[in-house]
């Protein structure tokens, strides 16, 4: 097409319009705003909303009720079961075991022979000493006769008598020593345990026999020195042992040793057992000695108390409340004031949720 104007001729060409694609439409939108930006904004708003909802609903916590019950303050100890009356039998000399009674679990009487060590060498020594005694006796008699005739000196006569007395003293000591090769029962009782076999070489102090009375029994336990001031004779003790798992046994404090172990920093406490106790001698026992006890008091789990207070829950809200505590047991704590029965508290309570006003109850632990 040609157009005229202002004395010149202009030639114009027409072009077909370029098609608008779907991508262009999406990027521009109805108002010219890129649609991908709009979608991103919507996702961001949604994410913020979810985060805000999650934050406002609070973290999940486990709750426990304030209940009533008995509170007990305890001292923990460990020990083993022993008879109240018993004795250990050990050899006084080194020797080979040549005889034993095999009487474990049987009754024995005081002075009854339970075992014997090889004493042949000691017997040979005694035989030599008796031979020397015979010679010395003859020499003493000869010196006495010579002195009567004036054929010897008083000094020679005294020396012969002194030699005889010395050998006779050695014989008495050797006879006494021979008794050490026999192990005799030190008391009437039951052979609780017998150790060692014929042919064994045993040393002085090796416990070969434990003899005692089967009843009564007690637990000999060790307690830390800082807990000793709270322990008194007569206090009740709750006992547990793996041999009777799940069964709670009882005893009572009978003796407290006046001197402790300065290295281990422990004191020995003896807990008397009833005659019908199922415990056996030698069993290891855990003991909880009850030093203080109250009935019908408010209780919360020990892990619910934080900074001398409780995190009290109500209708999704959380509030920190100061409380006064009393007896502190291993699992529960007495609340003297500051809480009411039936209230819900966070258990366990942690510092990271103390300042949160909103929480979610994940579960309620009933006592």
């Amino acid at each position: 097409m040609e157009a005229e104007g202002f004395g010149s001729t202009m030639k114009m060409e027409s072009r077909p319009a370029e098609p608008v694609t779907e991508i262009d439409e999406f990027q521009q939108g109805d108002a010219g705003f890129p649609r991908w930006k709009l979608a991103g904004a919507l996702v961001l708003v949604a994410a913020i909303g979810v985060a805000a909802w999650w934050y406002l609903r609070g973290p999940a916590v486990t709750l426990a009720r304030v209940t009533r019950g008995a509170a007990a303050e305890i001292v923990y100890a460990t020990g083993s079961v022993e008879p109240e009356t018993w004795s250990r039998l050990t050899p006084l000399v080194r020797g080979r075991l040549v005889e034993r009674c095999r009487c474990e679990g049987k009754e024995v009487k005081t002075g009854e022979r339970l075992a014997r060590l090889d004493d042949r060498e000691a017997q040979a020594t005694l035989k030599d000493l008796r031979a020397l005694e015979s010679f010395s006796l003859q020499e003493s008699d000869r010196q006495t006769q010579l002195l009567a005739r004036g054929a010897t000196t008083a000094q020679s006569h005294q020396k012969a008598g002194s030699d005889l007395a010395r050998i006779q003293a050695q014989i008495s000591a050797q006879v006494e020593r021979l008794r050490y090769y026999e192990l005799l029962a030190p008391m009437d009782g039951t052979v609780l345990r017998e150790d060692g076999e014929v042919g064994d070489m045993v040393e002085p102090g090796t416990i070969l026999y434990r003899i005692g009375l089967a009843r009564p029994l007690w637990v000999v336990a060790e307690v830390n020195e800082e807990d000793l001031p709270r322990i008194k004779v007569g206090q009740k003790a709750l006992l547990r042992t793996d041999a009777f798992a799940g069964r709670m046994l009882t005893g009572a404090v009978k003796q407290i040793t006046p001197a402790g172990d300065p290295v281990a920093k422990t004191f020995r406490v003896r807990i008397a057992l009833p005659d019908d106790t199922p415990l056996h001698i030698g069993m290891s026992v855990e003991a909880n000695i009850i030093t203080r006890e109250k009935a019908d008091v408010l209780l919360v789990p020990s892990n619910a108390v934080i900074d001398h207070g409780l995190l009290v829950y109500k209708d999704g809200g959380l509030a920190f409340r100061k409380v006064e505590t009393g007896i502190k047991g291993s699992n529960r704590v007495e609340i003297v004031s500051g809480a009411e029965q039936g209230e819900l508290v966070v258990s366990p309570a942690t510092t990271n949720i103390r300042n949160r006003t909103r929480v979610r109850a994940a579960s309620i632990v009933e006592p």
Side-chain angles (χ1 to χ4, degrees):
M1 177 177 68
E2 295 182 355
E4 297 180 356
F6 302 103
S8 65
T9 301
M10 180 180 293
K11 189 175 183 180
M12 300 179 62
E13 295 181 358
S14 61
R15 297 181 180 178
E18 295 181 359
V20 178
T21 64
E22 294 180 0
I23 295 178
D24 292 331
E25 292 178 358
F26 173 78
Q27 292 177 341
Q28 295 298 323
D30 293 338
F33 186 78
R35 292 191 176 184
W36 66 270
K37 291 185 179 180
L38 179 61
L42 293 175
V43 171
L44 179 60
V45 170
I48 294 174
V50 170
W53 171 80
W54 182 263
Y55 179 81
L56 291 175
R57 70 195 296 258
V61 295
T62 302
L63 304 176
R65 293 191 187 279
V66 180
T67 60
R68 282 195 172 275
E73 186 176 71
I74 64 170
V75 169
Y76 178 78
T78 59
S80 60
V81 180
E82 295 181 4
E84 289 191 14
T85 305
W86 72 304
S87 177
R88 301 176 181 89
L89 185 58
T90 68
L92 299 178
V93 294
R94 185 176 187 270
R96 189 175 300 280
L97 193 62
V98 295
E99 181 183 322
R100 52 171 289 193
C101 66
R102 297 192 180 277
C103 51
E104 194 170 79
K106 297 180 180 180
E107 298 289 329
V108 294
K109 297 294 184 180
T110 302
E112 184 176 338
R113 189 168 79 180
L114 305 181
R116 184 173 65 86
L117 304 180
D118 186 358
D119 62 352
R120 288 177 296 180
E121 184 177 348
Q123 290 285 4
T125 300
L126 179 62
K127 187 176 180 180
D128 289 342
L129 289 172
R130 291 201 183 279
L132 286 174
E133 178 190 29
S134 178
F135 174 80
S136 296
L137 184 58
Q138 294 176 4
E139 178 63 17
S140 178
D141 290 342
R142 190 176 73 85
Q143 288 293 329
T144 300
Q145 294 173 6
L146 291 174
L147 183 63
R149 296 197 303 266
T152 188
T153 64
Q155 183 178 5
S156 296
H157 179 265
Q158 290 176 353
K159 182 178 182 302
S162 176
D163 289 343
L164 176 61
R166 176 174 54 81
I167 292 173
Q168 287 176 337
Q170 290 178 345
I171 290 173
S172 297
Q174 187 66 14
V175 170
E176 185 65 27
R177 182 179 173 82
L178 279 169
R179 296 181 183 178
Y180 297 164
Y181 290 83
E182 289 186 323
L183 277 73
L184 308 180
M187 59 177 289
D188 294 349
T190 303
V191 178
L192 305 173
R193 179 166 175 169
E194 181 181 15
D195 292 308
E197 294 293 339
V198 172
D200 289 351
M201 184 64 72
V202 296
E203 301 290 337
T206 303
I207 300 175
L208 297 180
Y209 290 90
R210 292 171 173 84
I211 302 166
L213 303 180
R215 291 290 187 274
L217 302 178
W218 58 16
V219 174
V220 180
E222 300 288 335
V223 301
N224 293 329
E225 61 181 20
E226 62 266 24
D227 295 325
L228 189 68
R230 294 190 286 154
I231 299 177
K232 308 295 180 186
V233 172
Q235 288 174 338
K236 181 180 178 181
L238 303 179
L239 311 173
R240 192 189 71 82
T241 178
D242 291 339
F244 299 97
R247 182 175 177 181
M248 189 60 68
L249 307 172
T250 61
V253 176
K254 187 172 184 178
Q255 288 183 7
I256 303 172
T257 183
D261 185 336
V263 177
K265 296 184 178 180
T266 59
F267 278 74
R268 186 172 297 159
V269 174
R270 291 179 170 89
I271 302 170
L273 300 174
D275 287 340
D276 60 351
T277 180
L279 296 174
H280 294 275
I281 298 169
M283 283 186 173
S284 59
V285 174
E286 293 179 285
N288 286 329
I289 302 171
I290 301 175
T291 59
R292 195 157 56 115
E293 193 172 13
K294 287 184 182 179
D296 193 29
V297 296
L298 291 178
L299 299 171
V300 297
S302 300
N303 60 10
V305 180
I306 179 174
D307 297 334
H308 306 288
L310 299 172
L311 298 177
V312 182
Y313 173 88
K314 184 177 181 181
D315 299 331
L318 200 63
F320 178 77
R321 187 189 301 168
K322 286 285 188 178
V323 295
E324 180 184 354
T325 59
I327 294 178
K328 295 178 175 64
S330 57
N331 298 317
R332 297 195 292 177
V333 175
E334 175 195 4
I335 301 300
V336 178
S337 63
E340 296 181 2
Q341 182 178 356
E343 287 187 310
L344 294 173
V345 296
V346 178
S347 172
T350 56
T351 55
N352 64 326
I353 63 172
R354 174 176 169 174
N355 297 323
R356 298 298 298 270
T357 57
R358 303 294 297 177
V359 293
R360 291 179 295 117
S363 62
I364 299 177
V365 179
E366 299 291 347

